[in-house]
Amino acid sequence: MLNKLTVKNRTYSLPIFLPDATLGVVRGLSSKQVEQAGIRGVVINTYHLMDRPGTKVLEKAGGIEKLMNWSGLTASDSGGFQLFSLIHKNPKLGRITDEGVVLYSGESRQRKTLFTPEKSIQVQFAIGADIMICLDDFSPIKASPKRLQQSVKRTISWAKRCKKEFDKQCKKRKLTSKNRPLLFAVVQGHQNQELRRHCAEELIRLGFDGYGLGGWPFHDDGSFDYEISQLVADITPDDKPRFALGVGKPENIVKLRAMGYDIFDCVLPTRDARHQRLYVFQDKLEKLDFSQPTKKWYKFLYLDRSKHSTDFSPIDPHCDCEACQNHTRAYLHHLFKAKDNLTLQLASQHNLRFYARLIAKLSS
């Protein structure tokens, strides 16, 4: 596993966790508050930023980092998963072809647009991300063997087109190996080990700066698919960073870090905070032992429960976030009941601080 990542003349220690900042904002928090929580990078959404504020605004602003006043790492997803989800929920809104993703303005299909691998890279350059992801054809969960093979074939083909457009954009912008962004490719194939191997081999042959764990990483019963995660780690180069795309439960991060994954992203810490679910370590961080998989080393605190109305202890007595240092469980319970926005900020900061402390523990 790697311990550092250098991009655009800046170096970041690994592993690193990137919370969701879909539209250039971690919901409810300023960039300064995110930074104060110990977070060193965010992941942003290519498809949504293309829609708003749009590429013209992003380029005029000098990129998303300047627009949101963020000094840390930015990774832009390709937009592929969002498009897949959109079409999966309502096939009338689009279809996936070898050329790219066809999108319709609505079920009446009055306006049609085509989102191609080239377009994805062009938008990501307008965003100005440090890490860019190739557009991939997300392997459907219950796909037929033919559809699964098609997914892998498209992913490889699109990765080749993405790399060609990436090189073209670097040349156009006169970027060197030191100040250019990094380009990652995504390994698809769902639970078919043969297809996963084939996908990885072809992507490695093309040559990328890093590789991502693609697809749905869960079994039908909801348990995490550690076997496929290990396989992808084994078949990708050790000298290239591995991105566990969308992986973010604390226990998943710990196990995948041991496998050799370096970058993680997830919506969970801030989403859970908005639903009054906070993360608490069971003991002081230095005393925790992650090597015992059956031992639960953290718990959830549900602030909506009435027992917290008279609990004047901090969320986590060992945490140094603003909420834990200055407020009690009773106060946050009261704020949630009062539906005041301050509680969302404090809860989000706490959960992000939990993740930042976890990552620091894994770095030591």
Side-chain angles (χ1 to χ4, degrees):
M1 64 184 72
L2 303 178
N3 57 22
K4 67 178 181 178
L5 174 74
T6 300
V7 54
K8 292 183 180 179
N9 293 309
R10 292 182 293 183
T11 299
Y12 302 89
S13 61
L14 297 174
I16 189 169
F17 174 77
L18 315 177
D20 177 63
T22 299
L23 287 168
V25 58
V26 176
R27 281 186 61 179
L29 298 177
S30 69
S31 294
K32 188 67 174 178
Q33 288 174 312
V34 175
E35 182 183 353
Q36 288 172 341
I39 296 297
R40 295 170 289 119
V42 296
V43 63
I44 49 189
N45 188 285
T46 298
Y47 174 67
H48 290 301
L49 286 174
M50 178 180 69
D51 181 50
R52 52 178 176 166
T55 55
K56 290 184 179 179
V57 173
L58 288 165
E59 288 180 325
K60 192 170 184 179
I64 192 64
E65 290 181 3
K66 290 187 177 179
L67 185 63
M68 65 185 290
N69 192 27
W70 174 249
S71 59
L73 180 76
T74 54
S76 53
D77 61 26
S78 67
F81 179 75
Q82 289 70 33
L83 295 172
F84 171 84
S85 299
L86 183 70
I87 295 171
H88 180 71
K89 290 178 181 177
N90 189 351
K92 293 182 179 180
L93 296 180
R95 56 194 173 90
I96 302 172
T97 71
D98 290 344
E99 181 61 24
V101 184
V102 177
L103 296 169
Y104 299 106
S105 56
E107 292 188 8
S108 60
R109 300 190 174 189
Q110 293 179 341
R111 182 169 56 88
K112 182 178 78 172
T113 58
L114 179 64
F115 189 75
T116 64
E118 292 80 8
K119 183 66 174 179
S120 175
I121 294 298
Q122 291 162 11
V123 174
Q124 291 184 73
F125 266 98
I127 290 170
D130 299 313
I131 295 176
M132 301 181 181
I133 309 293
C134 290
L135 183 67
D136 60 303
D137 185 6
F138 185 90
S139 296
I141 300 170
K142 295 183 179 180
S144 65
K146 181 179 179 181
R147 178 64 182 93
L148 206 53
Q149 289 178 341
Q150 186 182 55
S151 166
V152 169
K153 183 179 179 181
R154 278 194 188 131
T155 292
I156 296 167
S157 173
W158 288 0
K160 186 175 182 179
R161 290 166 59 186
C162 281
K163 190 173 190 300
K164 183 177 180 180
E165 181 64 28
F166 179 86
D167 292 340
K168 177 182 175 182
Q169 290 292 330
C170 286
K171 185 176 180 180
K172 175 183 175 182
R173 298 163 189 266
K174 298 180 180 179
L175 299 175
T176 67
S177 59
K178 291 186 177 181
N179 63 6
R180 69 168 176 83
L182 302 179
L183 182 64
F184 283 36
V186 182
V187 180
Q188 289 289 356
H190 194 43
Q191 294 175 338
N192 187 307
Q193 295 193 13
E194 183 180 344
L195 285 177
R196 286 278 188 178
R197 288 182 183 278
H198 172 67
C199 189
E201 288 170 0
E202 293 300 315
L203 294 176
I204 292 168
R205 188 173 287 113
L206 290 171
F208 291 92
D209 299 306
Y211 299 89
L213 171 65
W216 189 245
F218 299 96
H219 293 292
D220 292 341
D221 63 0
S223 61
F224 196 86
D225 193 340
Y226 289 112
E227 184 179 358
I228 287 296
S229 302
Q230 183 67 68
L231 173 69
V232 173
D234 291 341
I235 60 181
T236 49
D238 289 333
D239 62 344
K240 302 288 185 181
R242 299 184 182 98
F243 197 151
L245 295 160
V247 175
K249 282 189 176 182
E251 58 269 31
N252 298 154
I253 290 176
V254 170
K255 290 185 179 180
L256 265 66
R257 177 53 178 169
M259 293 178 187
Y261 287 89
D262 308 291
I263 307 170
F264 305 88
D265 80 281
C266 192
V267 301
L268 281 178
T270 49
R271 177 185 289 174
D272 280 344
R274 294 193 296 273
H275 289 87
Q276 308 180 41
R277 186 158 87 163
L278 278 65
Y279 298 77
V280 179
F281 286 113
Q282 295 281 30
D283 203 342
K284 289 182 179 180
L285 203 53
E286 58 269 22
K287 292 184 178 181
L288 296 177
D289 182 8
F290 296 149
S291 64
Q292 302 179 41
T294 58
K295 186 175 181 181
K296 193 71 172 178
W297 41 267
Y298 77 97
K299 63 183 178 180
F300 292 120
L301 179 72
Y302 296 90
L303 279 173
D304 59 335
R305 294 178 179 172
S306 58
K307 67 178 182 179
H308 296 306
S309 63
T310 55
D311 187 342
F312 301 104
S313 62
I315 299 167
D316 182 346
H318 308 300
C319 180
D320 57 359
C321 77
E322 181 181 353
C324 292
Q325 291 295 306
N326 298 295
H327 303 294
T328 64
R329 297 180 181 186
Y331 184 58
L332 267 72
H333 172 83
H334 163 67
L335 291 181
F336 266 119
K337 290 295 183 182
K339 297 182 180 180
D340 191 278
N341 288 336
L342 176 59
T343 190
L344 299 180
Q345 290 186 32
L346 293 173
S348 294
Q349 281 184 294
H350 169 78
N351 279 356
L352 288 179
R353 184 61 188 145
F354 173 95
Y355 270 71
R357 293 170 67 212
L358 172 62
I359 291 296
K361 169 76 172 179
L362 295 175
S363 302
S364 61

